[in-house]
Amino acid sequence: MKVVLVGDSNVGKTTFLYSYKANQFPSDEEVPAILDSFKDLVVTEDGNEMQVEMWDLGGADNYRVLRPMTYRDAHVRSAVVCVPGRPLHLSVLCLRSVSASRLRAPQCIIMCFAIDDLHSLQSLRDNWAVELSAALGPDWTNIPKIVVGMKSDYRLDEAPGLVSIDDVTRVFPQLKEQEDGFLNYVECSAKTQEGEAAVFAEAIAPARVYMGEDKGGRNAERLQFFLILGCLIALVVIFVDWHVSL
């Protein structure tokens, strides 16, 4: 199962994944900036462990050219982008694969913003949704999506100017009726780890359903293709037999 996290830089995507995997809040030195750092994350759902490919996509403009390659089926060798002014081990974005491997389209998209930054929420609609829609085409409206507000521990401090649920539904009205694949809104904190499990619960369940439906749809397309091919072959055989009989 492939799950993609998108959102602006510094909203807390990588910190969230590290906190969930290591069961602790990371220091600055412990947070990597490598695309597939959490590719083999083990997630527990209904008491069962399952392996999930978590693709933590860099939000910086430097990564904009590479990100679409991770959204859809694509053949890549490798790509490296360095962010100026950051240490190499913290700035490398690497697609670790060979030319024969395929980067599958995601079964779920987790759209992340920071609850202390309204612009990061608006950016999900104005930038990330546009980029994803262009890359995924018709699949964009079918792939399950959840919107996640990061840094929810700010609410404990009653910090002013935080994004409200009304703000979220105003930016994404699809959440009210669960339209276009938008299923739910969840908040979590990497610092307190509150809500982290809920994010995966909201993402994994619909992703598994979508995987089944997607697989069924692909099988139906293959069946239709082979039926048409079989009919064409039969017509060719009939025509040849008729021509020979003349």
Side-chain angles (χ1 to χ4, degrees), residues 10-12 113-116 149-155 188-190:
N10 300 318
V11 299
F113 74 96
I115 68 167
D116 64 333
M150 302 283 183
K151 307 180 182 180
S152 63
D153 52 282
Y154 283 13
R155 297 203 187 280
C188 71
S189 167

Side-chain angles (χ1 to χ4, degrees), residues 158-175:
E158 299 183 352
L162 297 181
V163 174
S164 66
I165 295 179
D166 288 340
D167 292 327
V168 176
T169 54
R170 191 178 301 115
V171 172
F172 289 108
Q174 304 98 316
L175 285 168

Side-chain angles (χ1 to χ4, degrees), residues 134-212:
L136 294 170
D139 290 339
W140 160 248
T141 58
N142 298 322
I143 295 175
K145 294 172 281 289
I146 64 171
V147 179
V148 178
M150 302 283 183
K151 307 180 182 180
S152 63
D153 52 282
Y154 283 13
R155 297 203 187 280
L156 300 176
D157 300 330
E158 299 183 352
L162 297 181
V163 174
S164 66
I165 295 179
D166 288 340
D167 292 327
V168 176
T169 54
R170 191 178 301 115
V171 172
F172 289 108
Q174 304 98 316
L175 285 168
K176 292 183 178 180
E177 302 297 332
Q178 295 189 337
E179 298 175 338
D180 299 333
F182 285 87
L183 300 179
N184 209 346
Y185 170 62
V186 187
E187 291 187 353
C188 71
S189 167
K191 188 174 182 179
T192 66
Q193 298 184 308
E194 183 177 359
E196 289 183 340
V199 172
F200 288 105
E202 293 290 342
I204 300 305
R208 293 180 68 176
V209 173
Y210 176 76
M211 285 176 66

Side-chain angles (χ1 to χ4, degrees), residues 3-245:
V3 178
V4 168
L5 279 83
V6 300
D8 289 353
S9 295
N10 300 318
V11 299
K13 303 185 302 294
T14 307
T15 305
F16 154 69
L17 288 176
Y18 184 98
S19 173
Y20 181 85
K21 184 174 183 178
N23 198 31
Q24 65 178 10
F25 190 70
S27 64
D28 292 340
E29 292 76 15
E30 290 174 320
V31 178
I34 302 176
L35 179 92
D36 60 351
S37 299
F38 304 95
K39 189 173 181 181
D40 298 322
L41 190 67
V42 175
V43 177
T44 301
E45 185 198 17
D46 296 331
N48 300 316
E49 289 189 348
M50 60 185 302
Q51 197 170 59
V52 180
E53 294 181 16
M54 300 296 303
W55 290 80
D56 176 17
L57 305 186
D61 288 341
N62 308 66
Y63 302 157
R64 186 172 297 172
V65 176
L66 296 178
R67 286 195 301 258
M69 289 191 294
T70 71
Y71 296 147
R72 289 198 65 85
D73 293 348
H75 292 281
V76 300
R77 288 186 180 275
S78 64
V80 177
V81 173
C82 294
V83 180
R86 297 189 67 185
L88 181 62
H89 72 285
L90 291 180
S91 65
V92 176
L93 170 66
C94 183
L95 305 183
R96 294 178 177 174
S97 51
V98 294
S99 57
S101 66
R102 295 186 70 83
L103 293 179
R104 297 176 291 105
Q107 281 78 49
C108 184
I109 300 172
I110 300 178
M111 307 183 71
C112 309
F113 74 96
I115 68 167
D116 64 333
D117 183 1
L118 179 60
H119 174 74
S120 66
L121 170 63
Q122 296 167 336
S123 179
L124 288 178
R125 175 196 61 196
D126 300 336
N127 299 316
W128 290 95
V130 174
E131 180 179 296
L132 285 159
S133 177
L136 294 170
D139 290 339
W140 160 248
T141 58
N142 298 322
I143 295 175
K145 294 172 281 289
I146 64 171
V147 179
V148 178
M150 302 283 183
K151 307 180 182 180
S152 63
D153 52 282
Y154 283 13
R155 297 203 187 280
L156 300 176
D157 300 330
E158 299 183 352
L162 297 181
V163 174
S164 66
I165 295 179
D166 288 340
D167 292 327
V168 176
T169 54
R170 191 178 301 115
V171 172
F172 289 108
Q174 304 98 316
L175 285 168
K176 292 183 178 180
E177 302 297 332
Q178 295 189 337
E179 298 175 338
D180 299 333
F182 285 87
L183 300 179
N184 209 346
Y185 170 62
V186 187
E187 291 187 353
C188 71
S189 167
K191 188 174 182 179
T192 66
Q193 298 184 308
E194 183 177 359
E196 289 183 340
V199 172
F200 288 105
E202 293 290 342
I204 300 305
R208 293 180 68 176
V209 173
Y210 176 76
M211 285 176 66
E213 293 176 350
D214 185 51
K215 184 177 180 180
R218 290 174 185 264
N219 288 339
E221 291 176 0
R222 293 191 187 99
L223 178 60
Q224 184 179 24
F225 169 78
F226 284 114
L227 285 174
I228 294 173
L229 180 62
C231 291
L232 290 174
I233 293 174
L235 288 174
V236 170
V237 171
I238 292 172
F239 174 79
V240 171
D241 287 344
W242 173 78
H243 185 75
V244 170
S245 64

